[in-house]
Amino acid sequence: MMRTPLRPLARILQAREDGLNPDQIEKENLRLRHEAMREKSRSRAEFRLLLLSLGFVVAFGAIGARMGLMAATEPVEPRASAPGAEIIAQRADITDRNGRILATNMTTHALYAHPKVMVDPKGVAVKLAEIFPDLDAKALERRFTDGRSFVWIKKVLSPEQMQLVHEIGDPGLLFGPREMRLYPNGTLAAHVLGGTSFGAEGVHSAEVIGTAGVEKALDARLRDPAQAGRALTLSLDLSLQATIEEVLFAGMQMLNAKGAAAILMDVRTGEILALASLPNFDPNDRPNPLVDKNAEPGDSPLFNRAVQGVYELGSTFKIFAVAQAMELGLVTPATMVDANAPMVWGKHKIKEFEGKNYGPLLSVTDVIAKSSNVGTAHIALMIGPLRQQAFLKSLGFFEPTPLELVEAPGARPLIPKKWPEIVTITTSYGHGMSASPMHLAAAYAAIANGGVMIKPTLLKREGPTTGVRVMSEKTAHDAVTMLRRVVTEGTASLGEVPGYEVAGKTGTADKPKKTGGYYKDKVVNTFASVFPASNPQYVLIVTLDEPMDTTLSQARRTAGWTAVPVASEIIRRVAPLMGLRPKLEPPAPDAVTAASN
C-alpha cells in the first residue's frame, strides 16, 4: 500500500514562495490520515458486529427450533447410557381379564457397603447377621476386611430391615434405590406368571427381567418403553383361578395325590380362564430348582404340570378315535362293533378294566359310555395308522402347544417312533403316546366348539377367533352327546352337576417306570369335561398324579373316583361365577310322586 507523505516537497516549496507556513501542510495531512484510519476501523467494527449478530440469530434460532420440535413430539423416556446409570424404563403391570393386578412394581432399596470407610467392620457384621439370619457374621467380616472397596449385602430390603440397618449407624453401610417385582396375590397363578430376577445392576438402579412363565415369554413386551407402561392383560380370571386352586388343593389333599393340574378354557376364543398346577410356589420368593438327580421333574414346585407334564392320558383319547371314525363315515353312534374281551392281536392281549367283558357287541355310543378298550381298538383298526396319525396331528398332539409361556416349547409330546397297528390300537385308548393336559384341553375344545381347532392363549382376546376345521359340526355334536352319556350313565357319574349338563370322559393311565414297564399302584388320572353339553362353552381338564381314594376299605385309584368328583366340585363353584344360569332339567318319571288330600 502506498503511503502519502506528510510533507510533500512540491507543496512545501510552493508555500515558501507564497509566504505561508509549511508546518500547516503537515498538520493538515496528518488530520486527513487519522480520519481515514478512523473510517477504516469503524467499517471493520461494523462488519464484526454484523457477523456476531448473525451468529446470535442463528444460534438462538436453532435452539428455539429444537425446543419447538421437542414440545411438538411425544415424550420418550431416556435410556441409561452408562453402567450403573438410572434404569428408567419401568416394567409394565400384568392384570387379569378384568383389570385386577397380578404383577406390579414397588420401590425398595438394596444394601451395600464400602468396607474401607467402615468404623467397626466386625461389629457391623455381627449386627447385620442379627437383622438377616441368612447371613453369616464371620463370612461378612472376612469380606469387609479382605481389602475390597465394595460389597453387596442384600439386593432387596423391607422398610423394617432398612430402619434396623440405619440404627447401626456405620458410615460404610449405604442404600441404593431400585424397583422390584411384586405379586400381590402370592401363590395365585404362580406357574402362569413365573417370576423375575435382577439383570444389570448398579447401586442406584437394577434391571428387572423375567425368569419363567409369562414374565419370561413376554419379557420384551413388558420392558418396551414404546408401550408407555401399558398393562399386559391376560385371559385369566382371578376369581376363577382362586376358586379352582382352592378346590384342586383340597381334592389333592383328600385323595393323597402328589400333584394336580387344572385348565379352564373358553372353547370359542381359546382363552385360558384359569390354569393351576400343584404344588405351587410364591413368585415373590421363587425357590431354586431341584438338584437331586434321582428326583422326578414333578417333584419340584416350579414344574408346571398343566403344560410341562407330559403323561399318557388314558381313555380320554377314546373320543378322538370315535370322532374320526364318524367323520370318515365308518361308523355312526348306533353302529355295533366287536367288544368281546380279551382281544388278541399277535402276541398282544387287549383287556378291559378289571377283566370285564362288555361284548360280544357294543354300540359306538356304549363304547364311550362304558369306556371299552376292545371296542375302541376295533374302531381304530377301521381308521388305520396313517389316517389316525394325520387326525391326531390336526388336533395338535404332535407339536408343543403354542402358549405364551417360556416352558411351553419344551413340552413336546412323546410320539412312538414306529406306528404299526398295535400302536394304532393302544394310542386309541391313550397308551403308548404322551401329551400334556394343555394338549388335551385344546383338542376337546375343538370337539366342543363344533369342530374347529383354535390355538389356546393366555392373552385376552376380543371376540371369537378363527381356526382350522378338523371335523364337521354334526360329528362334533354327536361326540359331545356321547360324552354327556358318560356322565349320566357311564364311568363319570360322580361328575353330574345339576343344571349344568356336564359331559366328559375319564382317563386312568398307569405310570411308566424309568426301567421299563408300568407301576401297578401308581396312576395319572384325568377327567376331560365339557359344559354345558347343550351349548358347549367351556372345557375343564383335571389331572391328579398318584391319587387314591381311601374312604372305603379298598383303595380306589380310577379317575371316576378321584378326578371326576374334583372336577364336579370345580364346575359347581365356577359356573355361577361365569354367569351360567343352571338349566332346570325335568325330573325322571319314576321320581314323580302323585299326592292327594
Side-chain angles (χ1 to χ4, degrees):
M1 182 180 69
M2 294 186 63
R3 190 177 181 86
T4 303
L6 295 176
R7 296 175 67 90
L9 181 59
R11 289 192 63 189
I12 294 297
L13 293 175
Q14 183 64 40
R16 286 177 178 174
E17 289 179 0
D18 295 341
L20 300 175
N21 186 0
D23 293 339
Q24 294 297 323
I25 296 174
E26 182 179 0
K27 292 179 180 179
E28 178 65 19
N29 285 340
L30 188 61
R31 182 184 65 80
L32 293 174
R33 180 179 291 183
H34 286 167
E35 288 180 356
M37 291 173 65
R38 283 195 298 269
E39 184 65 28
K40 187 176 181 180
S41 297
R42 185 175 67 250
S43 298
R44 187 182 294 115
E46 288 177 351
F47 180 71
R48 289 176 177 175
L49 287 172
L50 179 62
L51 288 179
L52 185 61
S53 299
L54 287 174
F56 273 108
V57 169
V58 171
F60 282 100
I63 293 172
R66 179 61 178 165
M67 291 175 66
L69 182 63
M70 292 175 66
T73 56
E74 293 293 327
V76 177
E77 295 192 14
R79 294 180 179 271
S81 58
E86 187 72 22
I87 298 172
I88 297 178
Q90 188 182 55
R91 194 173 186 84
D93 289 346
I94 300 176
T95 68
D96 81 338
R97 64 187 303 106
N98 299 310
R100 290 173 287 191
I101 294 292
L102 297 175
T104 188
N105 309 304
M106 69 173 290
T107 301
T108 184
H109 288 81
L111 175 62
Y112 62 98
H114 286 166
K116 292 184 178 181
V117 298
M118 278 186 173
V119 176
D120 180 16
K122 182 176 181 180
V124 169
V126 172
K127 292 176 181 178
L128 287 176
E130 292 175 357
I131 298 172
F132 307 104
D134 58 322
L135 297 181
D136 181 72
K138 291 184 178 180
L140 276 177
E141 184 182 350
R142 282 196 302 271
R143 295 169 67 194
F144 290 159
T145 57
D146 62 3
R148 305 184 196 196
S149 59
F150 180 90
V151 175
W152 276 116
I153 300 173
K154 276 288 183 180
K155 301 297 182 71
V156 175
L157 297 178
S158 69
E160 295 80 6
Q161 291 170 333
M162 187 175 178
Q163 181 59 38
L164 292 173
V165 175
H166 263 303
E167 293 172 359
I168 295 176
D170 194 289
L173 295 177
L174 301 169
F175 302 97
R178 60 175 54 189
E179 279 196 342
M180 64 172 286
R181 201 64 160 165
L182 176 67
Y183 302 92
N185 303 295
T187 60
L188 203 60
H191 289 91
V192 174
L193 298 171
T196 57
S197 63
F198 291 118
E201 293 183 276
V203 296
H204 297 300
S205 61
E207 182 183 39
V208 180
I209 59 174
T211 57
V214 168
E215 292 274 26
K216 176 67 173 178
L218 301 179
D219 187 64
R221 156 67 177 84
L222 292 166
R223 297 168 61 192
D224 186 3
Q227 297 288 342
R230 191 170 70 249
L232 175 69
T233 303
L234 300 186
S235 59
L236 298 184
D237 185 308
L238 197 58
S239 298
L240 301 179
Q241 181 75 28
T243 301
I244 288 178
E245 287 195 21
E246 179 184 349
V247 176
L248 192 65
F249 179 76
M252 186 180 78
Q253 295 291 100
M254 291 177 62
L255 295 166
N256 308 294
K258 65 180 293 187
I263 300 167
L264 180 63
M265 179 178 176
D266 187 316
V267 303
R268 301 196 180 278
T269 64
E271 293 173 298
I272 305 300
L273 303 179
L275 187 154
S277 176
L278 298 176
N280 56 10
F281 61 94
D282 188 346
N284 293 298
D285 186 22
R286 186 177 169 86
N288 294 321
L290 295 179
V291 294
D292 185 359
K293 295 181 179 180
N294 297 321
E296 295 182 5
D299 294 338
S300 170
L302 300 176
F303 186 72
N304 187 341
R305 295 172 180 272
V307 175
Q308 294 175 281
V310 178
Y311 312 106
E312 291 186 354
L313 294 169
S315 296
T316 58
F317 262 47
K318 289 175 180 174
I319 194 64
F320 303 137
V322 169
Q324 184 179 12
M326 291 192 296
E327 183 70 12
L328 293 172
L330 301 175
V331 298
T332 68
T335 301
M336 304 301 290
V337 297
D338 186 353
N340 201 27
M343 171 186 175
V344 178
W345 189 263
K347 62 179 181 179
H348 303 282
K349 186 177 289 187
I350 313 302
K351 300 178 181 179
E352 302 288 9
F353 177 66
E354 293 183 339
K356 295 180 181 178
N357 185 358
Y358 300 114
L361 297 175
L362 274 181
S363 69
V364 171
T365 297
D366 284 336
V367 166
I368 295 298
K370 296 182 181 296
S371 196
S372 170
N373 294 337
V374 175
T376 307
H378 283 291
I379 293 172
L381 290 174
M382 297 180 197
I383 298 169
L386 294 179
R387 290 193 295 191
Q388 184 188 45
Q389 290 180 70
F391 186 65
L392 292 176
K393 187 176 294 185
S394 72
L395 292 175
F397 283 110
F398 278 54
E399 298 293 335
T401 53
L403 206 61
E404 298 86 357
L405 292 176
V406 72
E407 298 84 1
R412 181 174 292 276
L414 301 180
I415 310 298
K417 294 181 179 179
K418 297 181 180 180
W419 208 284
E421 288 187 330
I422 187 61
V423 171
T424 298
I425 291 173
T426 58
T427 300
S428 70
Y429 52 81
H431 289 269
M433 174 180 173
S434 300
S436 71
M438 183 57 68
H439 284 95
L440 194 65
Y444 265 71
I447 294 174
N449 68 21
V452 178
M453 188 65 192
I454 295 175
K455 292 181 180 179
T457 181
L458 281 165
L459 301 180
K460 185 178 180 181
R461 284 176 174 164
E462 299 296 337
T465 187
T466 57
V468 178
R469 179 164 291 282
V470 293
M471 68 185 78
S472 66
E473 288 189 21
K474 183 180 186 310
T475 297
H477 178 269
D478 289 344
V480 172
T481 302
M482 292 180 188
L483 294 175
R484 173 61 178 154
R485 189 170 171 188
V486 174
V487 176
T488 58
E489 302 177 26
T491 59
S493 58
L494 295 179
E496 181 71 320
V497 182
Y500 290 108
E501 301 177 299
V502 179
K505 185 71 189 75
T506 55
T508 302
D510 294 330
K511 292 187 72 172
K513 297 179 181 179
K514 292 182 179 180
T515 55
Y518 291 85
Y519 290 103
K520 297 296 183 181
D521 57 350
K522 294 182 180 181
V523 295
V524 174
N525 288 349
T526 303
F527 182 50
S529 57
V530 175
F531 65 99
S534 58
N535 180 27
Q537 297 182 47
Y538 303 102
V539 159
L540 173 67
I541 306 295
V542 172
T543 299
L544 298 174
D545 188 359
E546 297 184 22
M548 182 172 59
D549 178 15
T550 57
T551 55
L552 298 180
S553 57
Q554 184 177 1
R556 293 173 293 192
R557 295 185 174 86
T558 58
W561 290 103
T562 57
V564 171
V566 175
S568 172
E569 179 62 15
I570 289 176
I571 294 172
R572 187 185 69 80
R573 296 272 295 274
V574 303
L577 296 177
M578 294 187 291
L580 288 179
R581 290 179 175 270
K583 182 179 180 181
L584 298 178
E585 300 180 48
D590 58 357
V592 177
T593 302
S596 62
N597 294 330

